[in-house]
Amino acid sequence: MKYRTIGTDPHNRREVSVLALGAMLFGSRTDEETSFALLDRYVEAGGNFIDTSDNYAFWVDGGQGGQSEELLGRWRRSRGIGGEIFIATKLGARPLAPGTSYIDNPEGLSAKVIRESAERSRERLGVDKLDLLYAHIDDPTVPQRETVEGFAELVAEGTVGLLGVSNQAAWRVERARAIAAAAGLPGYEVLQYAHSYLRPRSDVPDDLFPDGSLGHAGPDLLTYLRAEPALTLVAYSPLLKGSYTHPDRLPADYDHPGTPARLTVLHEIARETGATSNQVVLAWQLGGDLPIIPLAGASTLAQLEENLAAVDLELTAEQRARLDAAH
């Protein structure tokens, strides 16, 4: 395994594995025995960065979520896991009532919700401190200063380490970070957005964000990342839910002329390297000029092994240039 440093505060920055493990469906669609086996193998391979959320997976049983955090708590206790494993979670998108969703009934990002939701996450995970806590979605109904101060209070109290943000417009992220900086408060240092080799159309809303594709790391966000070298991008859905091996799963917003061109080059380089298309995608993210940590889920050990092997795949400069130039 390879590692990179995230965070700037010497008290909270951490060395984390360059490949994060997504635990979204652990405890729901992925049963406990399989989930434990995947977690054990990931840690055995040197992985130490696990991602979850307080609303995973509310859509599976029509509830409010929490299954993933609860399973991770049981796994930690059964294995004697302590602070050596870095666990990130999120708040803000948990439905307030069963049968609703983050679109029509989210918990939001008020100071009250931030404190109470963070406490519940710590209880489910069985930890005294959340290593990384994200604002899962935006909440335009709450003043950004209130959200910024709510997160900062938890850091000051020592119950949260690093702060992150997901699925918000780049200008909103910058405004929140500017508010924090002006007040001398900790701000967002980790950005979590969908990012893969294939690129979506920006004018077609996707399933997760019907009001626009704010969940994707588009050109504006990537430009922002280049301008702020202290930030890290955690790229969720790097393998597009299996679309590279199952083209029928490709979301509608990826249906445009640029997709076949990029797939052609991707498959060429997979043949050249003897790797799978999935591994080339992950290696392309890992070896680029931006600080990107792919966040890949797995439901079988074979999938996990495939992902882990991508960490050691080195693309040549010429191969990377061909991948980048395809459009």
Side-chain angles (χ1 to χ4, degrees), residues 28-104:
S28 54
R29 287 182 182 164
T30 305
D31 63 50
E32 185 150 323
E33 181 180 0
T34 303
S35 299
F36 276 31
L38 291 165
L39 289 161
D40 289 344
R41 175 60 189 127
Y42 175 70
V43 171
E44 179 185 46
N48 71 345
F49 189 177
I50 300 169
D51 180 90
T52 185
S53 173
D54 71 348
N55 74 338
Y56 294 160
F58 75 88
W59 57 92
V60 172
D61 64 0
Q64 293 173 277
Q67 301 100 306
S68 177
E69 289 183 331
E70 290 167 354
L71 180 136
L72 289 172
R74 293 192 296 273
W75 172 73
R76 290 185 68 260
R77 288 189 294 272
S78 70
R79 303 302 193 256
I81 296 292
E84 70 274 15
I85 300 301
F86 186 91
I87 298 180
T89 193
K90 315 175 193 71
L91 57 77
R94 181 179 169 90
L96 288 175
T100 61
S101 78
Y102 63 88
I103 294 175
D104 58 358

Side-chain angles (χ1 to χ4, degrees), residues 144-166:
Q144 280 190 295
R145 179 172 298 277
E146 178 180 343
T147 297
V148 167
E149 291 176 350
F151 278 117
E153 283 181 6
L154 300 185
V155 175
E157 293 168 7
T159 56
V160 170
L162 299 174
L163 299 175
V165 62
S166 181

